[in-house]
Amino acid sequence: MLRLEHIKKTFNPGTVNEKRAVWDLSLHLKPGDFATIIGSNGAGKSTMLNAISGSFYVDEGAIYLDGKNITFVEEYKRSRVIGRLFQDPLRGTAPHMTMEENLALAYLRASEGSNPFSRISKKDKAFFREQLSLLDMGLEDRMKQPVGLLSGGQRQALTLLMATMVPPKLLLLDEHTAALDPGTAKKVLGLTARMIEKHQTTCLMVTHNMHQALELGNRTLMMDSGKIILDVEGEERAHMTVSDLLNKFQSNSKRALDNDRILLSME
């Protein structure tokens, strides 16, 4: 479904700020895979998601989605089949536009064969209202309000709905609950899991929480220095503990994990 073949990306090559972000990275996701990704800052997690979504072109290697080579496909074209949420709730929506207008833009962009300047029908608006009601946040009664008036959690839930209303081929989640308070984060994470299960969406989710990395989805990846150093699923993953994950990291990277956010998430 998703195949990364030996991708490489170096930022600012040949300068004092040169950064080798991902290096000879390969990955194969099967249809319906829900893989969590964990690793220290600078491990290459977000860079890998950026490469997949088309934020930049990789220096070497190839990216395939559903058998199609998308290595040099523009980001706006990939966005029709790849949904994405970021850590910052302010990204992904237009704050001065209403919820209805934001949903309309997302719906028209992702709907196959539609024109971005098409008119939204009463049936479409009823569909938006129905979808908003599934969030159980009362947003269906506020469709005419600007998105900028929403709380961070409400905004992230809306962005999640926008990314999955027309089910994408691939969903990328980049620590999308990290900026929310614990209660709101738990609710948004629950919504995420339900939407992914409902549509059997193939998903890559970056998290700093090691418990989440083992409890959510069917597969756990660990990254370090721009490479995937652990890829575990099935029975091995089912019986793995957070301590096992830490030991695997130390064994495979030849050093101890020293990221405070990840270590604190073990509590």
mmCIF file of all heavy atoms in Angstrom, residues 103 107 124-136 139-140 143 157 161-162 164-166 191 195 198-199:
data_model
loop_
_atom_site.group_PDB
_atom_site.id
_atom_site.type_symbol
_atom_site.label_atom_id
_atom_site.label_comp_id
_atom_site.label_asym_id
_atom_site.label_seq_id
_atom_site.Cartn_x
_atom_site.Cartn_y
_atom_site.Cartn_z
ATOM 1 N N LEU A 103 -15.124 22.621 6.218
ATOM 2 C CA LEU A 103 -15.537 21.272 5.843
ATOM 3 C C LEU A 103 -15.790 21.180 4.342
ATOM 4 O O LEU A 103 -15.437 20.181 3.708
ATOM 5 C CB LEU A 103 -16.793 20.876 6.615
ATOM 6 C CG LEU A 103 -16.590 20.561 8.102
ATOM 7 C CD1 LEU A 103 -17.927 20.547 8.830
ATOM 8 C CD2 LEU A 103 -15.871 19.232 8.277
ATOM 9 N N TYR A 107 -13.915 18.697 1.830
ATOM 10 C CA TYR A 107 -14.765 17.743 1.114
ATOM 11 C C TYR A 107 -14.544 17.825 -0.393
ATOM 12 O O TYR A 107 -14.391 16.804 -1.078
ATOM 13 C CB TYR A 107 -16.227 18.038 1.454
ATOM 14 C CG TYR A 107 -17.233 17.106 0.820
ATOM 15 C CD1 TYR A 107 -17.328 15.777 1.218
ATOM 16 C CD2 TYR A 107 -18.102 17.566 -0.166
ATOM 17 C CE1 TYR A 107 -18.251 14.925 0.640
ATOM 18 C CE2 TYR A 107 -19.034 16.723 -0.742
ATOM 19 C CZ TYR A 107 -19.107 15.399 -0.338
ATOM 20 O OH TYR A 107 -20.027 14.562 -0.906
ATOM 21 N N ASP A 124 -25.163 18.184 1.073
ATOM 22 C CA ASP A 124 -23.788 18.213 1.583
ATOM 23 C C ASP A 124 -23.756 18.821 2.982
ATOM 24 O O ASP A 124 -23.072 18.312 3.882
ATOM 25 C CB ASP A 124 -22.887 19.033 0.654
ATOM 26 C CG ASP A 124 -22.685 18.376 -0.703
ATOM 27 O OD1 ASP A 124 -22.733 17.132 -0.772
ATOM 28 O OD2 ASP A 124 -22.490 19.108 -1.692
ATOM 29 N N LYS A 125 -24.488 19.920 3.164
ATOM 30 C CA LYS A 125 -24.501 20.593 4.476
ATOM 31 C C LYS A 125 -25.105 19.689 5.544
ATOM 32 O O LYS A 125 -24.633 19.667 6.686
ATOM 33 C CB LYS A 125 -25.280 21.905 4.377
ATOM 34 C CG LYS A 125 -24.593 22.964 3.522
ATOM 35 C CD LYS A 125 -25.418 24.237 3.435
ATOM 36 C CE LYS A 125 -24.731 25.271 2.542
ATOM 37 N NZ LYS A 125 -25.517 26.530 2.452
ATOM 38 N N ALA A 126 -26.130 18.934 5.168
ATOM 39 C CA ALA A 126 -26.727 17.984 6.109
ATOM 40 C C ALA A 126 -25.717 16.894 6.467
ATOM 41 O O ALA A 126 -25.647 16.444 7.629
ATOM 42 C CB ALA A 126 -27.982 17.364 5.502
ATOM 43 N N PHE A 127 -24.926 16.487 5.480
ATOM 44 C CA PHE A 127 -23.873 15.494 5.715
ATOM 45 C C PHE A 127 -22.819 16.041 6.673
ATOM 46 O O PHE A 127 -22.381 15.347 7.592
ATOM 47 C CB PHE A 127 -23.232 15.103 4.384
ATOM 48 C CG PHE A 127 -22.017 14.220 4.511
ATOM 49 C CD1 PHE A 127 -22.130 12.921 4.998
ATOM 50 C CD2 PHE A 127 -20.767 14.683 4.124
ATOM 51 C CE1 PHE A 127 -21.014 12.106 5.102
ATOM 52 C CE2 PHE A 127 -19.649 13.876 4.235
ATOM 53 C CZ PHE A 127 -19.769 12.576 4.728
ATOM 54 N N PHE A 128 -22.422 17.317 6.494
ATOM 55 C CA PHE A 128 -21.447 17.941 7.390
ATOM 56 C C PHE A 128 -21.984 17.955 8.826
ATOM 57 O O PHE A 128 -21.254 17.652 9.777
ATOM 58 C CB PHE A 128 -21.138 19.376 6.956
ATOM 59 C CG PHE A 128 -20.518 19.505 5.591
ATOM 60 C CD1 PHE A 128 -20.549 20.715 4.915
ATOM 61 C CD2 PHE A 128 -19.889 18.425 4.983
ATOM 62 C CE1 PHE A 128 -19.979 20.846 3.662
ATOM 63 C CE2 PHE A 128 -19.316 18.541 3.729
ATOM 64 C CZ PHE A 128 -19.370 19.760 3.066
ATOM 65 N N ARG A 129 -23.241 18.320 8.961
ATOM 66 C CA ARG A 129 -23.851 18.386 10.293
ATOM 67 C C ARG A 129 -23.869 17.003 10.956
ATOM 68 O O ARG A 129 -23.558 16.856 12.139
ATOM 69 C CB ARG A 129 -25.270 18.944 10.179
ATOM 70 C CG ARG A 129 -25.978 19.119 11.508
ATOM 71 C CD ARG A 129 -27.401 19.650 11.331
ATOM 72 N NE ARG A 129 -28.080 19.721 12.623
ATOM 73 C CZ ARG A 129 -27.968 20.724 13.469
ATOM 74 N NH1 ARG A 129 -27.213 21.764 13.170
ATOM 75 N NH2 ARG A 129 -28.612 20.699 14.625
ATOM 76 N N GLU A 130 -24.206 16.001 10.151
ATOM 77 C CA GLU A 130 -24.235 14.635 10.675
ATOM 78 C C GLU A 130 -22.849 14.196 11.132
ATOM 79 O O GLU A 130 -22.688 13.591 12.195
ATOM 80 C CB GLU A 130 -24.749 13.696 9.581
ATOM 81 C CG GLU A 130 -24.746 12.229 9.978
ATOM 82 C CD GLU A 130 -25.030 11.309 8.805
ATOM 83 O OE1 GLU A 130 -25.378 11.812 7.715
ATOM 84 O OE2 GLU A 130 -24.875 10.095 8.967
ATOM 85 N N GLN A 131 -21.830 14.528 10.328
ATOM 86 C CA GLN A 131 -20.465 14.144 10.675
ATOM 87 C C GLN A 131 -19.990 14.872 11.932
ATOM 88 O O GLN A 131 -19.334 14.283 12.802
ATOM 89 C CB GLN A 131 -19.526 14.443 9.501
ATOM 90 C CG GLN A 131 -19.759 13.584 8.271
ATOM 91 C CD GLN A 131 -19.547 12.111 8.554
ATOM 92 O OE1 GLN A 131 -18.476 11.691 8.978
ATOM 93 N NE2 GLN A 131 -20.589 11.320 8.346
ATOM 94 N N LEU A 132 -20.310 16.152 12.049
ATOM 95 C CA LEU A 132 -19.920 16.922 13.239
ATOM 96 C C LEU A 132 -20.568 16.350 14.499
ATOM 97 O O LEU A 132 -19.956 16.346 15.574
ATOM 98 C CB LEU A 132 -20.312 18.389 13.071
ATOM 99 C CG LEU A 132 -19.389 19.258 12.218
ATOM 100 C CD1 LEU A 132 -20.028 20.616 11.957
ATOM 101 C CD2 LEU A 132 -18.031 19.439 12.891
ATOM 102 N N SER A 133 -21.804 15.873 14.366
ATOM 103 C CA SER A 133 -22.497 15.322 15.537
ATOM 104 C C SER A 133 -21.793 14.086 16.082
ATOM 105 O O SER A 133 -21.866 13.795 17.279
ATOM 106 C CB SER A 133 -23.950 14.990 15.187
ATOM 107 O OG SER A 133 -24.027 13.887 14.298
ATOM 108 N N LEU A 134 -21.069 13.381 15.207
ATOM 109 C CA LEU A 134 -20.346 12.178 15.637
ATOM 110 C C LEU A 134 -19.198 12.506 16.587
ATOM 111 O O LEU A 134 -18.743 11.650 17.345
ATOM 112 C CB LEU A 134 -19.799 11.425 14.415
ATOM 113 C CG LEU A 134 -20.838 10.896 13.415
ATOM 114 C CD1 LEU A 134 -20.150 10.237 12.229
ATOM 115 C CD2 LEU A 134 -21.790 9.917 14.096
ATOM 116 N N LEU A 135 -18.731 13.760 16.556
ATOM 117 C CA LEU A 135 -17.658 14.175 17.451
ATOM 118 C C LEU A 135 -18.148 14.338 18.886
ATOM 119 O O LEU A 135 -17.353 14.368 19.819
ATOM 120 C CB LEU A 135 -17.046 15.501 16.969
ATOM 121 C CG LEU A 135 -16.432 15.505 15.562
ATOM 122 C CD1 LEU A 135 -15.875 16.880 15.239
ATOM 123 C CD2 LEU A 135 -15.343 14.443 15.438
ATOM 124 N N ASP A 136 -19.466 14.460 19.057
ATOM 125 C CA ASP A 136 -20.070 14.592 20.386
ATOM 126 C C ASP A 136 -19.513 15.793 21.146
ATOM 127 O O ASP A 136 -19.217 15.719 22.336
ATOM 128 C CB ASP A 136 -19.846 13.303 21.198
ATOM 129 C CG ASP A 136 -20.739 13.221 22.429
ATOM 130 O OD1 ASP A 136 -21.814 13.851 22.412
ATOM 131 O OD2 ASP A 136 -20.346 12.558 23.408
ATOM 132 N N LEU A 139 -20.686 20.653 18.105
ATOM 133 C CA LEU A 139 -20.237 21.540 17.023
ATOM 134 C C LEU A 139 -21.240 21.608 15.882
ATOM 135 O O LEU A 139 -21.216 22.568 15.097
ATOM 136 C CB LEU A 139 -18.876 21.071 16.492
ATOM 137 C CG LEU A 139 -17.718 21.080 17.493
ATOM 138 C CD1 LEU A 139 -16.425 20.632 16.813
ATOM 139 C CD2 LEU A 139 -17.545 22.457 18.112
ATOM 140 N N GLU A 140 -22.114 20.640 15.790
ATOM 141 C CA GLU A 140 -23.089 20.646 14.696
ATOM 142 C C GLU A 140 -24.051 21.839 14.793
ATOM 143 O O GLU A 140 -24.680 22.215 13.805
ATOM 144 C CB GLU A 140 -23.883 19.334 14.663
ATOM 145 C CG GLU A 140 -24.766 19.092 15.866
ATOM 146 C CD GLU A 140 -24.040 18.391 17.016
ATOM 147 O OE1 GLU A 140 -22.792 18.391 17.022
ATOM 148 O OE2 GLU A 140 -24.743 17.867 17.910
ATOM 149 N N MET A 143 -22.086 25.485 13.141
ATOM 150 C CA MET A 143 -21.463 25.379 11.820
ATOM 151 C C MET A 143 -21.149 26.730 11.184
ATOM 152 O O MET A 143 -20.229 26.843 10.380
ATOM 153 C CB MET A 143 -22.349 24.553 10.886
ATOM 154 C CG MET A 143 -22.284 23.072 11.161
ATOM 155 S SD MET A 143 -23.417 22.097 10.123
ATOM 156 C CE MET A 143 -22.881 22.545 8.489
ATOM 157 N N ALA A 157 -10.221 18.090 16.681
ATOM 158 C CA ALA A 157 -11.260 17.123 16.314
ATOM 159 C C ALA A 157 -11.854 17.473 14.955
ATOM 160 O O ALA A 157 -12.123 16.585 14.136
ATOM 161 C CB ALA A 157 -12.352 17.100 17.384
ATOM 162 N N LEU A 161 -11.783 15.297 11.463
ATOM 163 C CA LEU A 161 -12.965 15.026 10.642
ATOM 164 C C LEU A 161 -12.722 15.455 9.198
ATOM 165 O O LEU A 161 -13.083 14.732 8.258
ATOM 166 C CB LEU A 161 -14.167 15.778 11.211
ATOM 167 C CG LEU A 161 -15.488 15.629 10.453
ATOM 168 C CD1 LEU A 161 -15.903 14.162 10.373
ATOM 169 C CD2 LEU A 161 -16.579 16.453 11.131
ATOM 170 N N MET A 162 -12.098 16.622 9.008
ATOM 171 C CA MET A 162 -11.808 17.113 7.660
ATOM 172 C C MET A 162 -10.890 16.151 6.907
ATOM 173 O O MET A 162 -11.005 15.975 5.696
ATOM 174 C CB MET A 162 -11.183 18.507 7.733
ATOM 175 C CG MET A 162 -12.150 19.595 8.179
ATOM 176 S SD MET A 162 -11.310 21.142 8.619
ATOM 177 C CE MET A 162 -10.518 21.576 7.053
ATOM 178 N N THR A 164 -10.688 12.902 7.335
ATOM 179 C CA THR A 164 -11.215 11.541 7.174
ATOM 180 C C THR A 164 -12.647 11.498 6.643
ATOM 181 O O THR A 164 -13.174 10.410 6.400
ATOM 182 C CB THR A 164 -11.175 10.793 8.525
ATOM 183 O OG1 THR A 164 -11.941 11.532 9.507
ATOM 184 C CG2 THR A 164 -9.756 10.625 9.015
ATOM 185 N N MET A 165 -13.281 12.667 6.468
ATOM 186 C CA MET A 165 -14.672 12.715 6.004
ATOM 187 C C MET A 165 -14.826 11.981 4.674
ATOM 188 O O MET A 165 -15.753 11.207 4.468
ATOM 189 C CB MET A 165 -15.097 14.182 5.873
ATOM 190 C CG MET A 165 -16.545 14.406 5.573
ATOM 191 S SD MET A 165 -17.000 16.133 5.811
ATOM 192 C CE MET A 165 -15.675 16.976 4.933
ATOM 193 N N VAL A 166 -13.899 12.259 3.751
ATOM 194 C CA VAL A 166 -13.737 11.424 2.571
ATOM 195 C C VAL A 166 -12.518 10.558 2.890
ATOM 196 O O VAL A 166 -11.398 11.067 2.925
ATOM 197 C CB VAL A 166 -13.489 12.252 1.294
ATOM 198 C CG1 VAL A 166 -13.257 11.335 0.099
ATOM 199 C CG2 VAL A 166 -14.661 13.190 1.029
ATOM 200 N N LEU A 191 -11.449 9.394 19.373
ATOM 201 C CA LEU A 191 -12.073 9.690 18.082
ATOM 202 C C LEU A 191 -11.217 9.171 16.934
ATOM 203 O O LEU A 191 -11.715 8.598 15.974
ATOM 204 C CB LEU A 191 -12.267 11.205 17.927
ATOM 205 C CG LEU A 191 -13.396 11.856 18.721
ATOM 206 C CD1 LEU A 191 -13.268 13.372 18.647
ATOM 207 C CD2 LEU A 191 -14.755 11.421 18.190
ATOM 208 N N MET A 195 -12.353 6.418 14.118
ATOM 209 C CA MET A 195 -12.433 6.759 12.693
ATOM 210 C C MET A 195 -11.538 5.860 11.855
ATOM 211 O O MET A 195 -11.902 5.444 10.755
ATOM 212 C CB MET A 195 -12.053 8.228 12.501
ATOM 213 C CG MET A 195 -13.115 9.193 12.998
ATOM 214 S SD MET A 195 -12.716 10.908 12.627
ATOM 215 C CE MET A 195 -14.207 11.726 13.202
ATOM 216 N N LYS A 198 -13.259 2.485 11.696
ATOM 217 C CA LYS A 198 -14.468 2.540 10.875
ATOM 218 C C LYS A 198 -14.150 2.411 9.390
ATOM 219 O O LYS A 198 -14.814 1.679 8.648
ATOM 220 C CB LYS A 198 -15.198 3.855 11.140
ATOM 221 C CG LYS A 198 -16.444 4.061 10.277
ATOM 222 C CD LYS A 198 -17.080 5.419 10.562
ATOM 223 C CE LYS A 198 -18.286 5.665 9.669
ATOM 224 N NZ LYS A 198 -18.881 7.007 9.914
ATOM 225 N N HIS A 199 -13.135 3.116 8.940
ATOM 226 C CA HIS A 199 -12.796 3.132 7.516
ATOM 227 C C HIS A 199 -11.659 2.172 7.157
ATOM 228 O O HIS A 199 -11.268 2.091 5.996
ATOM 229 C CB HIS A 199 -12.408 4.550 7.087
ATOM 230 C CG HIS A 199 -13.478 5.577 7.310
ATOM 231 N ND1 HIS A 199 -14.683 5.537 6.668
ATOM 232 C CD2 HIS A 199 -13.520 6.668 8.124
ATOM 233 C CE1 HIS A 199 -15.435 6.557 7.059
ATOM 234 N NE2 HIS A 199 -14.763 7.254 7.940
#
